[in-house]
Structures are given as C-alpha cells and as structure tokens.
Amino acid sequence: MSSDRIVGIDLGTTNSLVAFMQGDIPVVIPGDDGLNLVPSVVALDENNQPVIGNAARKYLTETPERAVYSIKRLMGRGVEDIQQELKFFPFRLAEDLQAGEVLRIRLGEKKLGEKTFTPPEISALILRQLKRNAERFFGAQVTKAVITVPAYFNDAQRQATKDAGRIAGLEVLRLVNEPTAASLAYGLDKKQSGIVAVYDLGGGTFDISILKLHDGIFEVIATNGDTHLGGDDIDNLLITIALDDTLGDLGLDLRRNAEAVQAIRKAVIDAKIALSSQPSVSLNVELPGGQRYLREITREQFEQLIQPIIDRTVGPCKQALKDAGLKPEQIDEVVLVGGSTRIPKVRALVKELFHREPHTDLNPDEVVALGAAVQANILGGGSEATENMLLLDVTPLSLGIEVAGGVTDKIILRNSTIPASATQFYTTQVDGQANVAIHVLQGERELAKDCRSLARFDLKGVPPMAAGMARIEVKFLIDANGILHVSAREQRSGKEAEIQVQPSYGLTDEQVEGMILDSFDSAEEDFRRRQVIEARNEAATILAALDKGKKSPAWGHLTTDEKKKIAKMEKALVAVNTEDDYQAIRKAIDALNQGTTRLAELMMDSAVSTVLKGKTMEEADMGEGPTAPHPMAKAEFE
Ligand code: ADP
Ligand code: MG
C-alpha cells in the first residue's frame, strides 16, 4: 500500500466519515466498531483523556460537562457571533476569553480539573480518529487529506478547518465545498454542463445549493438554508409527544427524568429510521423502573407529524432558485445529501420542488465523503478517467478593503472561480502620510462596518509625499483552498508589506504549532486560584441572568412564594461571592440555579415549543430531575 495515499473526509456537524478511492470506486472506511459514521462528539473521560465518536456519546447524557457536540458550528467564529449557538447548545466557554481571541470550550468537571479546547482542536480530535481508522485499514501512515466544508463557509471558517487538519497531523491538500463533493460522487462533472441542485438535510442543519456546471467545473451560484433544522427537530418532536402521552394519559411526569428521556430518545430515533423503510413500527420503550411505553406508529401518522418540519425547507429552496435566477424546470440534476433525506416524504417533497427525480443511489450520509475521496484521487494524480478533470470552486463572498469614508471597495467579487487573484491601486489621503492602514473585508455590503472584518495591517514607512501622490498596489490572492493572501506595495518608493493575513478568530501559525506539540498535556497550575476566579465569574453570570429574568414577562408567572425563595438564594450567593471559598460559591450557585429552573424554562425560547401548537413551555420542556415510579403507558397518535 502506498503511504502517500490521500483520503477524503466529511467533517460533519453530526457525523464525520473518511473515504478513499478503491480502483475507480470511492468507499467509506469503517471504524474499529465496524461503523462508517463517526459521531462528531468529543468527550474527556474520567482521566481527562479524550474519547471520540460512539464511545463519547454516553457522556452527553451521563456527564454533559465532559462532552461537546456540533463543534462545527463554532469553527472560525468569535464570541460575539456565537450567541445564537449558545442559546441552542449549553457549551461552556473559557472564562478568561479576551475580545477577538479564538474561542475556547471548557470540558471536564470542576472537582476533577477542567481543560479548555479551541474549536479547531476539538475538530482535530475527530480528524485524528478518522486518520487512525484509515491507518488501521491501510496498515500504513496517512498524512494527506481533502476535507469538505459547507459552501457558505467564510474565510475564517475555512482557515479553522485547515488548522484542525494540521493539528491532527494531516496535510490538507484542498478544502472542497460539500455540494460540489456530492455532485462529484455522482460523477455529474462528466456531463460537462448543466444545473445541479443539492438538497442537504442532516442532523441539525439544512443547506440548499445550486451549482452550475460548465466545462466540467462546478460553480456555486446560490446557497440558502436553515442552520437549525434537521433530524434533531424530528427526534425532539417525537420525544415531546411520548412525554405528553405518559403525562396526559397516566399523569406520569417523566420530563425531568433524564434516564427516561434518554431511553425514549433512543427508541424514537430507531423508530424514525425504521419508518424510512417500513410502513409502520411499534415503539416499545423500557422505562427506568421496569414499566413500558408502547405505541404503534404508521408511516402516514409520522409523515403528518413531520410535515411542518420538512415544510421549513421549502422557503430556502425557493429563495435559492430566485437568487440563481432559475425556474425549477431549469434544474437538470438533483442530489440528496444528509441522513434525513432517507425519509420518503422528504424525497417526495424534493421531487415536487424541483420537478425532478433526485439521485438516490448513494447513501446520502456518505455521499459527501465519497466525493471528497474522488477529489483526493484527482489531486493525487489518480486514475486516468479523472486525470484531466479540472475541479474548481468559487469564493462565496466578495473580498475587498475599506477606503475613505468607511466604504467597501471590492477587489475579488463573490462567485469568482478560485484560485483567483486581482490587483487594485490606491493612494494616500493626507499629505506626508507615512503609514497606510489596510483593512481587509469580506461581504457584499457597501459600508465597511456592515462587512466582516478579516484582518487589518499597516503599510509602513511610505516616504513623505503630497496626498494623492503615492501609488499603492494591493494584491489579493485566494489560493486553491479558498484562503486569502493580501499584499500591498507603494510603487514609487518600493515599500511593501508582506503580510500574513490571519482571519479574525483564526489561529496564528505559532498557535497551531504549539497545539500540535502540546495538544493535551497542558499543565494544571494555580488550580484553586483559577477555581475561585471561575466560580466568581459564574456567579456574576447567573446574577446578571437573574436580573434579566426579573425584567422579563416570565417573572410575572412565578408565585410570590417562588419569588421569595429566589430572593433568599440570591442574597446568599451575593454574600458568599466576596469570599475566597470557591466550593461555597459554587454551592450557592447550584442552589440558585436549581431555584431558578422554572424561571429559566419560562424564558427559554424552546425550538420544540414552536412545533407544538397550544402547549406551554413547561409542558414542552425536558429536563433532568428525580426519578418517579411510573406504570406502563399505551396511547395512539392523533
Ligand atoms: P450531518 O451532515 O449533520 O453531520 P448526517 O448527514 O449524518 O448529519 O445526518 C444525520 C441525521 O440523519 C440524524 O438526524 C439521523 O437520525 C438521520 N437519519 C439517518 N438515517 C436515517 C433514516 N434512515 N431515516 C431518517 N433519518 C435518518
Ligand atoms: Mg453533512
């Protein structure tokens, strides 16, 4: 076996996979558990050693503070742009984060010591697992990979993905857009020209991409979607119904029984998957305590239930067609991606939307990895059939710089085929200006403040000249991975700034190198001191949240007694917070947390509640709590 074999990797939000080209056919490489999909879950075990994939999943429910999932959502993003994500996922951030710094997630238990990880480091753990799986399969080292990313990923998110590869010991030869990879897996590039719609409904995200194929080159002409829509919504809906059944019919409240909720979750996911291939399924859940929850679900009932969820994909599809200036009839090929497109009703909806039978020959949750393997093979100078193929992607957003008056001047336009480069000339605004500030922007908006700031740097030492005399050449280059390099040169003086543009929230080369060297054995220093600081920060957070809660309409729904209790616990926390006893602070925090659960629930904008017409937040909630005895439940869906 050749040791410079290049693998293709789908680094997914829910699941990740590694594939390679076996002769002319791309195949997925299974893990040592025999499974093709590696859940994108990372946890620290009781010895604070990382565990990945299926082995990590149990921590999600047993000790959630040890586990992290959906890390892809945080790649290349800053504290201010992840507030939305934090609402959906209870990630704990490092408490000493500075503005503009790369995010760090906190994993582990306070008492056993915690560790922090940047999103690229967590993704690197997943990649390292895939690398190991491939190495075991080949019996040889694997050091090169092609990794897929969503078409809408910006520069910072792409750079973060590349960093993850490097930290994992992989040379990332190319980042490929996921819809492009899926099209490649189906060999659509061989058609030379046409329009392809790629409909991707995964675990937690929905993406629609319209690709234009010309001369065997894919160009992403429109993307749309919903970053919080997928199979998870279906699972949550079914769980809520099951909990409703047991509550409504038998007065059995399992919503706070984490163990019962977990058992129900497993069962409804199995049922959902079974219903994709059979007309009905019997739910039979053994609840903690030995009782059973029984229910028959037909595919018809299931389809009715999920209709509102899958209908949410219609708007983005129509918008994408509109943006591309196309009618459904003009779509030549439709490709299905994502495990949730196995649902027959979803397939029917896609067919209706695009007036075309979608491709379904390949497993929708494997097709992106298979396409990555095809691309890897091409880059590696693989088989003759693919040797002459030119595969290019486009840049999803325009790139430019800020000019006088805070205006954006675009240098490379969105949808330019990459690699791409362009040059523009600028001059000075002030007499004798020695330093020229260059602010690199990404986005379509006219004003710099409305675009994403990628980097700032100065061209220094420009000799004194009257305003308007200097002639500054700014060159933008996007390499084959979609990563931007910017350089500036004052032509009269020959002064130039050879800058390494690091996107905001990107890691520096040194940081990446550092992480490669000492990924996991960061020393535990000043443990107690840090604990006190962290506990105080946490106290400040919960007290601030409580203040907010008191001002919210939810506060009015609490009883006088509940309000009194909260006030007492608040006072206790404030009192202990000035002391150096972190355990006491933490105890007071826990008490207040417990005491404000109902308030938090009332405030929480639960995604599930929106699907449940007429249900209150409280009824729709699923939380942890004491285990109550419960008899067997039997019910029918309406
Ligand atoms: P992602 O791209 O988000 O990483 P996947 O493409 O692997 O995710 O899709 C995962 C989702 O697909 C999960 O919600 C899973 O339950 C769902 N899924 C997998 N197989 C089936 C099936 N046969 N029927 C319905 N849903 C399925
Ligand atoms: Mg996917």
Side-chain angles (χ1 to χ4, degrees):
M1 283 277 168
S2 139
S3 63
D4 56 358
R5 188 184 286 283
I6 310 167
V7 293
I9 291 176
D10 171 6
L11 187 58
T13 310
T14 318
N15 294 302
S16 297
L17 304 89
V18 57
F20 83 111
M21 205 72 164
Q22 190 161 53
D24 284 344
I25 302 165
V27 289
V28 177
I29 300 170
D32 53 5
D33 51 10
L35 301 172
N36 282 355
L37 300 186
V38 174
S40 304
V41 181
V42 170
L44 288 185
D45 69 10
E46 289 68 19
N47 301 315
N48 280 351
Q49 291 306 304
V51 275
I52 291 97
N54 282 306
R57 290 184 57 177
K58 65 171 185 174
Y59 294 96
L60 287 174
T61 45
E62 287 173 12
T63 36
E65 62 269 47
R66 296 199 158 275
V68 58
Y69 61 101
S70 290
I71 194 64
K72 188 172 179 178
R73 296 181 182 279
L74 305 191
M75 292 287 275
R77 307 182 70 197
V79 183
E80 52 275 33
D81 37 47
I82 62 153
Q83 293 313 317
Q84 185 68 8
E85 301 303 340
L86 292 178
K87 199 174 89 191
F88 285 90
F89 300 100
F91 295 129
R92 295 174 308 148
L93 297 182
E95 278 155 340
D96 54 348
L97 280 182
Q98 308 293 314
E101 204 189 339
V102 181
L103 287 181
R104 270 176 294 123
I105 306 290
R106 205 146 41 99
L107 289 185
E109 292 169 81
K110 293 269 175 199
K111 54 180 194 286
L112 297 174
E114 295 178 315
K115 291 185 177 184
T116 63
F117 298 87
T118 63
E121 286 176 289
I122 291 169
S123 291
L125 288 167
I126 299 168
L127 291 173
R128 203 171 280 175
Q129 180 67 42
L130 297 171
K131 179 177 187 276
R132 270 197 296 268
N133 290 350
E135 287 172 343
R136 184 181 336 95
F137 185 88
F138 295 134
Q141 252 207 323
V142 174
T143 56
K144 292 182 176 136
V146 166
I147 303 179
T148 58
V149 289
Y152 59 79
F153 253 26
N154 65 29
D155 201 56
Q157 292 168 303
R158 285 167 195 266
Q159 184 65 56
T161 306
K162 280 202 87 182
D163 290 344
R166 280 181 62 195
I167 296 166
L170 286 170
E171 185 188 342
V172 182
L173 298 181
R174 179 76 62 99
L175 297 175
V176 182
N177 288 330
E178 287 163 11
T180 304
S183 305
L184 276 177
Y186 276 108
L188 298 183
D189 48 289
K190 301 199 178 71
K191 285 192 48 173
Q192 290 302 309
S193 68
I195 304 284
V196 185
V198 182
Y199 179 105
D200 181 349
L201 189 62
T205 56
F206 169 63
D207 297 313
I208 176 72
S209 314
I210 312 281
L211 310 185
K212 187 172 167 190
L213 178 65
H214 49 89
D215 306 324
I217 298 171
F218 287 105
E219 185 181 325
V220 182
I221 56 175
T223 67
N224 211 298
D226 185 332
T227 51
H228 290 281
L229 176 61
D232 295 346
D233 295 292
I234 296 174
D235 304 345
N236 288 335
L237 175 64
L238 296 178
I239 293 165
T240 310
I241 289 168
L243 291 172
D244 244 33
D245 283 349
T246 46
L247 181 67
D249 301 348
L250 301 141
L252 234 192
D253 190 353
L254 299 175
R255 292 171 310 192
R256 276 133 205 294
N257 184 329
E259 209 186 327
V261 172
Q262 186 51 21
I264 291 171
R265 180 180 293 280
K266 271 211 180 78
V268 299
I269 293 175
D270 287 349
K272 169 185 82 169
I273 289 172
L275 282 169
S276 288
S277 56
Q278 60 195 53
S280 78
V281 69
S282 303
L283 258 184
N284 183 344
V285 192
E286 176 159 357
L287 298 166
Q291 288 91 347
R292 288 189 173 276
Y293 169 63
L294 297 174
R295 160 166 269 194
E296 187 74 17
I297 313 171
T298 66
R299 188 186 280 175
E300 209 184 333
Q301 289 166 333
F302 174 73
E303 289 178 348
Q304 263 177 24
L305 283 167
I306 65 167
Q307 194 69 49
I309 296 176
I310 67 177
D311 278 349
R312 285 167 59 199
T313 66
V314 174
C317 288
K318 294 204 163 143
Q319 189 58 48
L321 280 172
K322 202 172 153 206
D323 290 350
L326 293 170
K327 296 203 168 54
E329 297 76 38
Q330 291 173 280
I331 302 292
D332 300 304
E333 308 278 345
V334 180
V335 172
L336 291 180
V337 179
S340 301
T341 64
R342 283 207 163 98
I343 299 171
K345 191 75 179 170
V346 172
R347 296 189 172 181
L349 177 76
V350 175
K351 186 181 167 191
E352 196 186 312
L353 273 171
F354 296 104
H355 304 190
R356 217 156 258 290
E357 201 69 59
H359 288 276
T360 54
D361 293 347
L362 301 174
N363 286 333
D365 37 19
E366 295 180 353
V367 63
V368 168
L370 296 175
V374 172
Q375 171 74 73
N377 191 48
I378 295 164
L379 289 176
S383 71
E384 255 181 65
T386 47
E387 203 168 357
N388 299 319
M389 259 168 51
L390 187 56
L391 283 161
L392 294 172
D393 275 315
V394 299
T395 172
L397 296 165
S398 299
L399 295 156
I401 63 168
E402 178 174 347
V403 293
V407 172
T408 313
D409 190 43
K410 290 174 186 161
I411 297 183
I412 293 181
L413 296 181
R414 72 183 287 261
N415 283 342
S416 299
T417 305
I418 56 174
S421 76
T423 302
Q424 291 278 356
F425 290 94
Y426 301 92
T427 187
T428 46
Q429 273 197 76
V430 191
D431 286 339
Q433 189 178 338
N435 287 351
V436 182
I438 295 166
H439 185 194
V440 183
L441 302 165
Q442 182 173 41
E444 307 313 312
R445 305 284 295 273
E446 290 306 314
L447 292 181
K449 69 174 172 55
D450 297 325
C451 290
R452 184 188 175 92
S453 169
L454 288 183
R456 290 172 188 272
F457 67 100
D458 291 335
L459 176 61
K460 289 187 185 143
V462 175
M465 278 183 253
M469 287 302 288
R471 190 174 156 80
I472 301 159
E473 179 189 32
V474 174
K475 188 172 174 190
F476 274 43
L477 173 98
I478 309 177
D479 68 19
N481 298 307
I483 287 165
L484 175 68
H485 307 262
V486 179
S487 60
R489 180 169 191 271
E490 201 290 305
Q491 292 198 312
R492 292 176 199 283
S493 60
K495 277 280 173 214
E496 47 190 4
E498 262 300 320
I499 28 83
Q500 192 57 44
V501 175
Q502 287 292 344
S504 312
Y505 316 117
L507 302 166
T508 63
D509 271 0
E510 289 73 30
Q511 280 174 308
V512 172
E513 291 303 337
M515 286 166 183
I516 295 168
L517 290 176
D518 58 19
S519 338
F520 307 109
D521 14 61
S522 59
E524 302 291 338
E525 336 140 344
D526 259 355
F527 184 71
R528 195 196 60 84
R529 190 67 224 136
R530 217 176 63 211
Q531 295 293 320
V532 175
I533 294 169
E534 287 183 358
R536 281 190 185 163
N537 286 341
E538 209 165 296
T541 308
I542 183 175
L543 288 170
L546 179 56
D547 276 344
K548 217 162 130 198
K550 284 180 180 171
K551 290 185 195 116
S552 81
W555 184 250
H557 292 285
L558 297 182
T559 64
T560 320
D561 193 40
E562 281 174 318
K563 287 180 195 167
K564 261 194 203 149
K565 276 189 187 149
I566 291 175
K568 213 173 132 192
M569 289 183 279
E570 182 184 9
K571 228 174 121 189
L573 176 56
V574 172
V576 80
N577 202 24
T578 51
E579 288 161 31
D580 260 3
D581 182 351
Y582 71 87
Q583 275 158 334
I585 302 174
R586 208 153 279 294
K587 234 172 112 184
I589 291 173
D590 286 346
L592 186 57
N593 256 331
Q594 284 268 310
T596 52
T597 311
R598 206 171 94 80
L599 174 63
E601 281 167 11
L602 287 167
M603 290 170 68
M604 190 173 67
D605 180 23
S606 156
V608 178
S609 69
T610 57
V611 235
L612 293 170
K613 290 189 285 295
K615 301 271 187 316
T616 66
M617 288 305 177
E618 197 197 359
E619 280 170 331
D621 176 60
M622 303 154 233
E624 274 182 67
T627 310
H630 29 70
M632 182 174 80
K634 182 172 169 66
E636 291 297 327
F637 283 117
E638 297 145 27

